[in-house]
């Protein structure tokens, strides 16, 4: 193995370690700092009640962030999620009307409506070639207009049997968190073991290369948007369970659109798509939950909470940017010049399978995903 190849392998391993460990290290650091701050006011960060509060805070954002991860992996965004959450809570509460017998049909109706909204988003993005940011913003505004026109306050009634989902737990672990983690397992399995899941990485990494490889690029994007809306609907059902009624503003008040995007990026998923993981996103959600819990225990001013959240979001984007620059920089190193004195001759004879210095947009996204998975 040449020195240049060995250097490329070491650099590639270092980047993979950065991607897999950076979120975990950040989460451990946040927990340690949080425990110290909570102890400074005479409270126990690791008490069962506090752990339960943190896990409860993770549930709703976790549902939304899981779906947002799928969309961002396809190099798109979904800004309609807060309005889907509000609409789902209202449909569920109105259809249940306090009757436990209506729970199954209400849940099914919510999931069907959410899937149709996601289908509309996916078709607008793939068939009309509208940027995902604009397409989902427009869809969200349409839903917002419907909610503002038809609902002036809370509506419906959730039966007690359904409220138990948001009120009970197994030890310190709420049932809602268990359901959210089960959805995360399903999402990770979907990405790792299904053809559509692998195609999401390929389409997000480079849509043109994916198309030339024989992949139907529209299908993964449409599926991602549908699953994102369905997970947002699950968040709406959970909020309806906790509140006991439906609310037209419960989604927007939580700021779940921007927070979910921030959690996904903080979890190591590239905003441009093609690389990331569900479990990284869950770690990002945990960081936000711990930060919010610590500030609540210390009775921090609500406006300062937004400042801290903003700092965390900016830090996440800074980490993302540095990783993107790191992926491009090695192409212009002295080692590359030494290995290829003819100025690109190596590219003409074919790529080195161990060379991790290629630009992400010229490399095969499927190959990159397989390398990351093997790590």
């Amino acid at each position: 193995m040449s020195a240049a190849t060995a250097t490329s392998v070491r650099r590639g391993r270092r980047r993979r370690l950065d991607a897999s460990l950076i979120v975990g290290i950040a989460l451990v650091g946040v927990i340690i700092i949080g425990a110290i701050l909570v102890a400074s006011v005479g409270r126990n960060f690791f008490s069962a009640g506090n752990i339960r509060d943190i896990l409860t805070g993770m549930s709703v954002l976790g549902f939304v962030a899981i779906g947002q991860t799928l969309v961002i992996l396809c190099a798109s965004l979904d800004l309609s999620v807060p309005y889907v959450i509000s609409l789902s809570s209202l449909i569920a509460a109105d259809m249940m009307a306090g009757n436990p017998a209506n729970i199954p049909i209400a849940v099914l109706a919510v999931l069907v409506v959410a899937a149709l909204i996601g289908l509309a988003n996916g078709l607008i993005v793939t068939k009309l070639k509208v940027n995902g940011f604009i397409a989902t913003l427009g869809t969200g505004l349409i839903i917002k207009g419907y909610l503002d026109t038809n609902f002036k306050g809370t509506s419906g009634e959730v039966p007690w049997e359904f409220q138990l989902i948001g009120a009970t737990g197994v030890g310190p672990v709420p049932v809602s968190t268990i359901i959210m983690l089960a959805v995360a397992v399903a999402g990770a399995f979907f990405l790792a073991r299904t053809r559509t899941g692998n195609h999401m990485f390929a389409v997000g990494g480079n849509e043109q290369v994916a198309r030339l490889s024989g992949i139907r690029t529209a299908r993964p994007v449409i599926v991602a948007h549908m699953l994102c809306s369905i997970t947002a609907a699950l968040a709406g059902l959970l909020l309806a369970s906790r509140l006991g009624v439906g609310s037209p503003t419960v989604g927007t008040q939580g700021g779940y659109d921007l927070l979910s995007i921030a959690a996904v990026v903080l979890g190591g998923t590239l905003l441009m798509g093609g690389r990331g993981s569900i479990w990284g996103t869950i770690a990002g959600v945990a960081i936000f939950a711990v930060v919010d819990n610590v500030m609540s225990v210390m009775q921090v001013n609500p406006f300062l909470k937004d400042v801290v959240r903003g700092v965390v979001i900016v830090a996440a984007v800074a980490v993302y940017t540095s990783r993107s620059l790191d992926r491009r920089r090695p192409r212009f190193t002295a080692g590359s010049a030494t290995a290829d004195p003819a100025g690109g001759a190596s590219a003409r004879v074919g790529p080195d399978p161990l060379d991790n210095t290629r630009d992400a947009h010229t490399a095969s996204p499927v190959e990159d995903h397989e390398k990351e998975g093997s790590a």
Side-chain angles (χ1 to χ4, degrees), residues 106-303:
V107 172
L108 180 61
V110 166
L111 296 181
V112 169
V113 171
L116 291 176
I117 294 173
L119 177 62
N121 286 333
L123 291 175
I124 293 172
V125 171
T126 57
K127 303 303 179 183
L128 301 182
K129 304 299 180 184
V130 178
N131 184 278
F133 181 94
I134 301 300
T136 56
L137 179 61
T139 305
L141 290 177
I142 292 173
I143 301 173
K144 180 179 183 296
Y146 170 77
L147 296 177
D148 292 342
T149 303
N150 295 278
F151 299 94
K152 302 303 179 185
T154 59
S155 179
E157 180 182 358
V158 177
W160 173 246
E161 288 79 0
F162 194 75
Q163 293 186 37
L164 290 177
I165 296 176
T168 58
V170 180
V173 183
V175 171
S176 59
T177 303
I178 296 175
I179 297 175
M180 184 271 289
L181 292 177
V183 173
V185 171
F189 180 84
F190 172 78
L191 286 176
R193 300 296 182 183
T194 66
R195 177 179 297 180
T196 304
N198 281 277
H199 288 178
M200 288 181 181
F201 287 97
V203 173
N206 192 314
E207 184 178 0
Q208 183 176 2
V209 172
R211 183 183 297 108
L212 294 175
S213 301
I215 296 175
R216 296 179 179 178
T217 55
R219 180 181 299 175
V221 178
I222 294 173
V223 172
H225 276 285
M226 292 180 67
L227 293 178
C228 183
S229 292
I230 289 175
T231 55
L234 294 176
L237 288 171
L238 175 58
L239 288 172
S241 170
R242 291 179 180 174
L243 297 175
V245 294
S247 170
T249 58
V250 68
T252 53
Q253 287 177 346
Y256 295 112
D257 46 356
L258 298 182
L259 279 179
S260 63
I261 294 172
V264 171
V265 175
L266 185 61
T269 299
L270 294 184
L271 194 57
M272 65 176 65
R275 192 182 293 267
S277 69
I278 294 293
W279 296 116
T281 295
I282 297 300
V285 171
I287 289 176
F288 277 118
V290 171
V291 169
D292 285 347
N293 175 265
V294 171
M295 289 190 292
S296 296
V297 171
M298 300 186 69
Q299 298 181 347
V300 174
N301 186 297
F303 296 106

